[in-house]
Amino acid sequence: MVDKKCRTYHSTIPTYFLLLAPEKAPEGTKEKLEGWALHIKQKSNNFWKYRKHSETEWAHPKTKELGGAPALGGSMFAIAHLLNDPDLRALGWAQTDFVFGVNPVGTHLSNKSEARVKINGYWNGVEKGWPQSHPHGYGELGSVRGTLDGSPLDSQFPIAEKIDAIEGKNEGRIFGKNAYATEGWGVSNRGWQATLTFSTLGSHKLKVFDGDFKEEISSVKQGQTITIQLNAALNIDRNAIDKGWLLLKQGEKVEKIQLTETGVNTGIFASKLKIPKNTNVNFIELSYGFLGFEKKLKLDVQH
């Protein structure tokens, strides 16, 4: 479970197993993850909250574990959710901050090239991108939206000296004190996507209130109007009121219920729902999300 390099996916796989089918997980899985959490906290107990390569090196001196900070957050978020560990979740956000500039070089890990900016393929609000790029890596991803280009080498910790930008000339090598860059597919794929995905764990909440939105309830009456409230990572447009949906199950009948954001950029969605007067079910179920990420709520129906 925990090897010398503390590889990210060794912890993500059993974690997802526990999320999907906890009753079928091998005995001792949770205890292994508790051990991993302690180990990673010890490795990350430093100024940058960065998982050090070894006792004497911050990062590998010659090559890049580009999945390091970008991908490690995903395992931290997932395991923190399973263990109810807020400290580990905070470490996960530190890895995300590292990607966005809280690192020795002081830049986002994606090069802010003209090509990416022109196709709206760069993060708004980021002033300074990674100093160098490797435009012809596997898959030719030099101008792809969101590609990450590199992360600090051991010599650039704890705080890098001035690094000059050499746009498109790095080709995966180090030029003096310039930053290392490599093909971006490895970090723009599974690892970074895992961090983005698992970061939502702990953010989703599903509640039901009476029709006047005054009291949270766990049972309903026939003909009663209720208010459904969902906190969710559905901020599709920060400048607009977004919409979302959840599933309502009444007996064998399943239907989608649309919810509307309560205001611009609130992340809180709500909708009114009237319980049928002549329903013959004893309970209804509300659910949001799938595959280990779902939130479910069961409401008894009073007849």
Side-chain angles (χ1 to χ4, degrees):
M1 184 64 61
V2 179
D3 68 4
K4 185 176 179 181
K5 292 186 178 180
C6 197
R7 295 188 184 278
T8 299
Y9 300 116
H10 286 196
S11 56
T12 304
I13 294 171
T15 303
Y16 200 46
F17 201 151
L18 279 176
L19 282 172
L20 284 176
E23 72 284 354
K24 296 181 180 180
E27 185 178 352
T29 300
K30 187 174 181 180
E31 289 73 19
K32 290 283 188 178
L33 294 179
E34 288 172 345
W36 182 91
L38 177 60
H39 177 74
I40 207 70
K41 287 177 183 178
Q42 293 171 338
K43 296 276 284 187
S44 307
N45 185 23
N46 54 68
F47 177 78
W48 294 109
K49 296 181 175 60
Y50 183 81
R51 184 199 67 192
K52 293 187 69 173
H53 176 69
S54 69
E55 293 297 322
T56 58
E57 296 172 324
W58 284 87
H60 197 288
K62 295 182 179 180
T63 62
K64 299 304 297 165
E65 292 186 71
L66 282 179
L72 184 59
S75 291
M76 290 177 170
F77 287 132
I79 296 173
H81 176 71
L82 282 173
L83 302 182
N84 192 25
D85 188 337
D87 293 334
L88 187 60
R89 182 171 172 80
L91 265 182
W93 284 118
Q95 310 310 302
T96 306
D97 290 340
F98 193 94
V99 173
F100 278 82
V102 186
N103 59 62
V105 181
T107 73
H108 194 291
L109 300 189
S110 175
N111 180 262
K112 195 172 183 178
S113 68
E114 291 184 10
R116 288 180 191 155
V117 173
K118 284 180 180 178
I119 63 172
N120 194 28
Y122 200 79
W123 288 263
N124 291 331
V126 176
E127 296 177 353
K128 196 173 181 183
W130 192 248
Q132 298 180 193
S133 66
H134 184 18
H136 304 300
Y138 293 122
E140 298 287 324
L141 298 182
S143 59
V144 170
R145 297 164 58 88
T147 295
L148 305 181
D149 292 278
S151 57
L153 289 171
D154 182 64
S155 62
Q156 289 151 359
F157 284 91
I159 298 176
E161 298 179 24
K162 183 179 183 298
I163 295 177
D164 299 322
I166 303 180
E167 171 64 28
K169 296 181 182 179
N170 193 313
E171 298 298 329
R173 295 187 294 274
I174 306 168
F175 285 77
K177 292 185 179 298
N178 288 290
Y180 183 100
T182 188
E183 60 274 5
W185 70 273
V187 275
S188 296
N189 204 313
R190 292 180 298 171
W192 181 231
Q193 294 301 324
T195 292
L196 296 178
T197 300
F198 288 116
S199 69
T200 64
L201 289 170
S203 300
H204 298 164
K205 297 177 183 178
L206 182 58
K207 297 180 179 181
V208 173
F209 296 84
D210 57 22
D212 296 326
F213 219 149
K214 293 181 179 179
E215 182 181 357
E216 190 173 354
I217 59 177
S218 59
S219 64
V220 295
K221 299 177 182 179
Q222 297 183 65
Q224 180 182 2
T225 297
I226 62 175
T227 302
I228 304 169
Q229 178 180 287
L230 172 69
N231 291 51
L234 284 175
N235 197 11
I236 307 302
D237 188 339
R238 292 178 60 86
N239 300 310
I241 292 177
D242 289 310
K243 295 185 183 296
W245 54 267
L246 49 73
L247 294 177
L248 168 65
K249 183 177 181 181
Q250 302 180 75
E252 297 300 318
K253 182 182 178 182
V254 179
E255 60 180 309
K256 285 185 178 181
I257 303 296
Q258 182 173 278
L259 298 93
T260 303
E261 197 172 14
T262 57
V264 175
N265 206 26
T266 65
I268 301 173
F269 299 77
S271 178
K272 298 280 188 181
L273 175 68
K274 187 171 182 178
I275 307 302
K277 288 185 177 181
N278 299 318
T279 181
N280 59 359
V281 299
N282 294 319
F283 62 89
I284 62 175
E285 288 183 324
L286 297 169
S287 65
Y288 173 77
F290 304 94
L291 297 175
F293 290 80
E294 63 268 17
K295 287 292 182 182
K296 293 183 177 181
L297 202 60
K298 182 177 177 180
L299 299 170
D300 294 324
V301 177
Q302 299 176 15
H303 294 279

